[in-house]
Structures are given as C-alpha cells and as structure tokens.
Amino acid sequence: MLVQYSQIVLDIVDGIPLRAEMGDFLAGLPLVVERGYFLPKEEELLFSFYVDYLRVRGDLLEMVRASQEVFERNADDESWNVRMGCFAIGFAAALVLMRVGTFAVEVADSGKVVMSKLDDAELRYGLKRKSFATLYKNLTDPQNAIAFYEAVRFYEVHLEDIDTLAADGEMKLLVDLLKEEYALLDYRKRDALVRRLKYRWFSLKRHSVSGYRKTMFHIFRLSGCRIAELKQPHLAKYDKNVSSEMVREMEAVLLPGDIIVTRHQDALSNLFLPGYWPHVALFVGSAYQRSELLAGEQEDGFNVVEAKKDGVKSRLLEETLYVDEFLVIRPFLSNADMAEVLERAISHVGKRYDFIFDFTSSDRLACTEVVFRSFDGVAGVSFKLIDKVRRMCLPTEELISQCLEMASFELKYLYLNDRAQLLEGDEALRALLEQQNKTS
C-alpha cells in the first residue's frame, strides 16, 4: 500500500504544469495588467492553468487523507515503519501543496486584474464565484500554518526514521521528493506573513469572502500532528447509498461492455471538477462471460477495468460501485465487435494514471480514456475529443452526451439519491435529463 501511494504522489507531481510550460503566458501577464483586461485566448489559458492547479490540489489532498487512514489503522507500536511511511507520503503531498499553492498566489498577485479574474464564475470550467478568495484564505490561514509547521517539526524529529524508508528502493523516490520539497520550505516560512497580509488587503477590497465549502486544510494529526480532513464536512461519515444488495443485483444484469458512470456525494473533487458525473469504468464481465466472447482461458477474479489514481487495473464491481449514485450505458455491438472492445480494454491494464488528461498519448490513461480507447473506431463508434485549451480530452459529461447521441448506445440503468429505486430505460433517461437540468 505504501509503495502504491508513494507512486501516486510521484505521478501527481509529474502532472503539475511546469513554469517552462507557462513561459509565454507568464511573460504576457504584465501586458494584461497594463491593458487592464484579458483577451479571450489569454483568459482561456489563465483558467486552464487554474483548473490544472485545482485538480492537482484535490489529488494531493486525497493522498493526504488516504495516508491518514492507513496510519490510523496501524496504531500499534509494531507498525511504526508503516506509520512513518504514511507520514512521509502525506507530508510530501502537503509540501507539494504548499509549493503549488504559493505559486498560484504569485501568479494571481501579478495584478488586480488577474486576481479578480480568478474570482469570477466560469461555467465552462465549473468554477464558482470567489473560489480563489477561499483558496487564498485557506493557504494563508494562521491556524493552518500552525498545523502545517507542527508536521514540519514532527518530520525534523523523526528524520532518521524517515530516511530508513529509502532503503526500500521503491520508496526512495518518494523520500527524495520529500527532501527536495523540504529544502524549499525556508523561503515559504519567510513569505507566510507577507502572504497573509496581502490576503487581508485583498479580502477587504473584495468586501467579503465567500463561505464556499470549508473543507481545507487541517494538516496532519499524525502522533499529535494534524492532517487534512478531505470529505465535504456536511456530507461526510455516512454509508454509501449503493448497498451490497444492489451491487449483487447489478452484477446479475450487467453485460460485458457496459459503461458504468459513478459519483461520490462527499468527494472533495466534486467542488473542483466541472459536471455532475466525474468518473467512468468499463464492465468487462466475469471470466465465464468473457470466455463466450474471447479465445483462450480467461483469468478470474475481476469484472471491471477502471483507471483510478493507482493506475489502470482490473477490479471487482463491488469496488467500482462503492459509490452513492451511478448510471449504466449499454452498447449494441456484435459479439465480434464486443470481443475487440474487451481485448482493447484489458490490454491497457497495468498502465499508470494520466494526471495530465492528454488523450493524444496512450502511455497513461484517465478513466474516460479507457472507454475512449476501447470503443473508438469499433463498428463505426466515434468519439469527438474536446479541446480544453492545451490538450484534447473527453470529460465524463461529454462522454455521456456523445454516447446517448449515437445509435450504438442507450442509457440502461440509473440510480440517484433522490429516487427510491433503480430506474431503467426511458424512465432512467427522463430522470437523467431532469437531474441535468437541476445541476446545469
């Protein structure tokens, strides 16, 4: 588990936009400030980089939470090395969060026009008004700073214990990252007060600070230190709405090739990602179901291929449907065409997760990219990738829309929180359209 989590953090860091990638944009900001407004292309670039920052921020915070959960499950003294590994992973994620957050503020601080623009609502990217003000406040909050530096002291006291983790070759890169990020910390300490004063001035000029949804950022409660609580506070600590009985019911009716779209009500990423439905998986069937379509003996023990932050893996439906809401889109393909879809999907198992969401490259895959690369070109199925300024991709909501516009797919099942039962066919489609109207 520790090796898996450390690799996820490293993959997230690889997906962070570099200053070099933003070179032309950053060089042009003084002209924007002098002009007093953004041109359309400049505005698109600004929001694109901002959404990248929000995505990275959410991914890193999830890793802080995940490392906390493992830490707390290993509370006995005999699990000290595991606990130190959890701390190293969570603290590395927190340090990167501090760095990218500081950089985001530096960009926003280029001029009033930049900061004001980031606080605008932007429906194309799912951004709400005053979102940046809230992020700025959390980054500079004194209580958060105190909690963060408690974690710093914990790291300094237990540095030798953490260094021993590097003896495991698979953890060495994470420990190296931790040291690199820690080495930059003095600069951040010196600027913390300045950032706080700037925020207070910014807040006064904006008249008020949005309440938004206060989810951040109590860093570290690891052996007396605080850690981020990632769930949305008013939604957390309840059982998932999709019961084990419903999972068994779905397992009996799903067919190979069914596209499963899911949503967690309490996921922090819901605040940052556009659209109501954030995630997709592909049901490939049991070994028996696959044996009727594919040649050769089929491996048992999985029925879903799904890309999550730990990579593209073969999983069980009970993991995929450990959610609050879901829908199922069913393809209409011949057995030969469906065999090609399944072969394609399974061939991607083992790849790492694409935190950059660049569908022009296939070495790493995001969740919708598994579906895209499994179906596109089979029996006339053709998805249109969307230009998100700097990369071509297929957001989940767009995938749903395009599937339902094609004769090769239909909405088969839908389960929403405000419905008392699983909906099928036309009834499911009507409910989905109603839900989309409410959330649009």
Side-chain angles (χ1 to χ4, degrees):
M1 184 67 72
L2 293 182
V3 172
Q4 181 186 63
Y5 283 1
S6 67
Q7 186 60 61
I8 291 173
V9 172
L10 293 168
D11 286 346
I12 294 171
V13 172
D14 284 345
I16 296 174
L18 301 175
R19 284 180 183 263
E21 298 175 19
M22 302 176 65
D24 292 341
F25 169 75
L26 295 174
L29 280 182
L31 180 60
V32 172
V33 174
E34 182 180 354
R35 186 195 306 131
Y37 61 91
F38 281 84
L39 298 176
K41 187 64 175 179
E42 296 167 339
E43 181 179 297
E44 289 176 0
L45 285 170
L46 175 69
F47 280 123
S48 177
F49 285 123
Y50 182 44
V51 169
D52 279 346
Y53 160 67
L54 293 178
R55 173 176 49 77
V56 167
R57 184 173 185 262
D59 290 337
L60 288 170
L61 280 165
E62 285 187 19
M63 293 315 303
V64 175
R65 175 193 57 79
S67 62
Q68 177 197 20
E69 290 181 350
V70 178
F71 183 95
E72 291 177 347
R73 289 200 302 268
N74 292 271
D76 56 284
D77 294 337
E78 295 179 359
S79 302
W80 181 249
N81 286 339
V82 174
R83 299 173 79 192
M84 284 297 97
C86 293
F87 178 86
I89 292 166
F91 189 45
L95 286 170
V96 177
L97 271 168
M98 181 69 75
R99 173 167 59 83
V100 297
T102 300
F103 177 61
V105 170
E106 289 175 358
V107 172
D109 202 36
S110 300
K112 179 181 177 181
V113 64
V114 183
M115 200 168 287
S116 296
K117 177 58 67 176
L118 288 175
D119 244 5
D120 285 348
E122 179 46 75
L123 296 180
R124 292 176 299 170
Y125 298 96
L127 298 174
K128 297 182 179 181
R129 185 171 176 268
K130 294 187 179 181
S131 65
F132 183 77
T134 302
L135 297 177
Y136 199 169
K137 178 182 179 181
N138 286 323
L139 182 67
T140 60
D141 189 292
Q143 290 186 338
N144 291 338
I146 291 171
F148 181 81
Y149 288 114
E150 286 178 354
V152 171
R153 289 196 296 272
F154 185 90
Y155 170 74
E156 292 170 345
V157 169
H158 297 285
L159 183 58
E160 290 185 4
D161 292 327
I162 292 171
D163 279 345
T164 61
L165 297 172
D168 183 341
E170 295 180 306
M171 286 289 290
K172 184 178 186 303
L173 291 177
L174 187 282
V175 175
D176 290 344
L177 171 67
L178 182 53
K179 290 181 177 180
E180 291 171 6
E181 295 293 334
Y182 176 76
L184 301 173
L185 197 58
D186 284 342
Y187 168 76
R188 297 171 207 155
K189 286 181 180 178
R190 290 195 301 270
D191 281 9
L193 178 60
V194 174
R195 286 200 306 271
R196 183 60 183 174
L197 292 174
K198 285 183 177 180
Y199 165 73
R200 293 303 297 270
W201 178 240
F202 164 74
S203 177
L204 289 172
K205 288 191 295 183
R206 293 293 291 178
H207 304 296
S208 65
V209 177
S210 168
Y212 201 41
R213 294 180 180 176
K214 294 182 180 179
T215 54
M216 317 303 181
F217 164 123
H218 301 290
I219 303 288
F220 286 99
R221 180 179 288 172
L222 302 181
S223 292
C225 297
R226 299 183 190 177
I227 189 168
E229 294 292 341
L230 246 199
K231 301 295 185 182
Q232 296 182 42
H234 62 297
L235 296 175
K237 297 181 180 178
Y238 69 103
D239 292 333
K240 292 300 178 184
N241 288 334
V242 177
S243 65
S244 57
E245 291 78 11
M246 182 173 291
V247 172
R248 290 194 293 270
E249 178 184 347
M250 295 308 301
E251 196 164 22
V253 298
L254 288 176
L255 298 178
D258 283 349
I259 300 169
I260 305 171
V261 184
T262 61
R263 173 181 169 86
H264 291 273
Q265 284 296 98
D266 62 350
L268 186 67
S269 57
N270 292 342
L271 304 180
F272 301 142
L273 298 178
Y276 187 81
W277 298 99
H279 187 67
V280 173
L282 184 62
F283 187 78
V284 296
S286 64
Y288 174 76
Q289 289 174 308
R290 293 194 304 275
S291 67
E292 295 188 324
L293 296 168
L294 303 176
E297 184 177 353
Q298 297 301 308
E299 181 182 349
D300 204 356
F302 72 93
N303 48 20
V304 175
V305 171
E306 183 177 8
K308 296 167 67 174
K309 291 176 177 59
D310 58 351
V312 184
K313 291 189 175 183
S314 52
R315 309 176 192 270
L316 289 171
L317 184 65
E318 61 189 35
E319 176 184 351
T320 300
L321 286 184
Y322 184 69
V323 295
D324 295 301
E325 299 179 312
F326 70 89
L327 62 86
V328 175
I329 297 174
R330 176 158 293 171
F332 296 106
L333 300 176
S334 68
N335 285 351
D337 291 331
M338 184 55 67
E340 182 177 354
V341 169
L342 299 183
E343 287 174 348
R344 284 186 180 187
I346 295 171
S347 72
H348 294 298
V349 171
K351 292 184 177 180
R352 289 158 70 178
Y353 188 76
D354 181 11
F355 288 96
I356 304 175
F357 295 89
D358 180 8
F359 282 34
T360 62
S361 175
S362 63
D363 58 333
R364 303 184 186 194
L365 303 185
C367 63
T368 53
E369 195 170 0
V370 172
V371 174
F372 167 69
R373 293 193 175 278
S374 298
F375 280 98
D376 195 68
V378 176
V381 173
S382 178
F383 291 106
K384 180 182 178 182
L385 298 181
I386 304 302
D387 184 357
K388 288 296 183 181
V389 183
R390 294 179 296 116
R391 58 182 64 94
M392 303 299 293
C393 62
L394 188 62
T396 304
E397 295 273 358
E398 186 64 31
L399 172 67
I400 296 171
S401 296
Q402 291 190 27
C403 281
L404 298 184
E405 289 172 358
M406 286 186 268
S408 303
F409 297 91
E410 72 166 358
L411 179 63
K412 187 64 178 176
Y413 302 105
L414 174 68
Y415 181 81
L416 295 174
N417 285 337
D418 58 356
R419 304 284 177 147
Q421 61 185 359
L422 183 70
L423 304 179
E424 299 185 42
D426 292 340
E427 188 178 10
L429 183 58
R430 285 193 297 271
L432 178 63
L433 294 175
E434 290 175 6
Q435 177 265 324
Q436 289 175 336
N437 288 333
K438 289 180 183 177
T439 58
S440 61

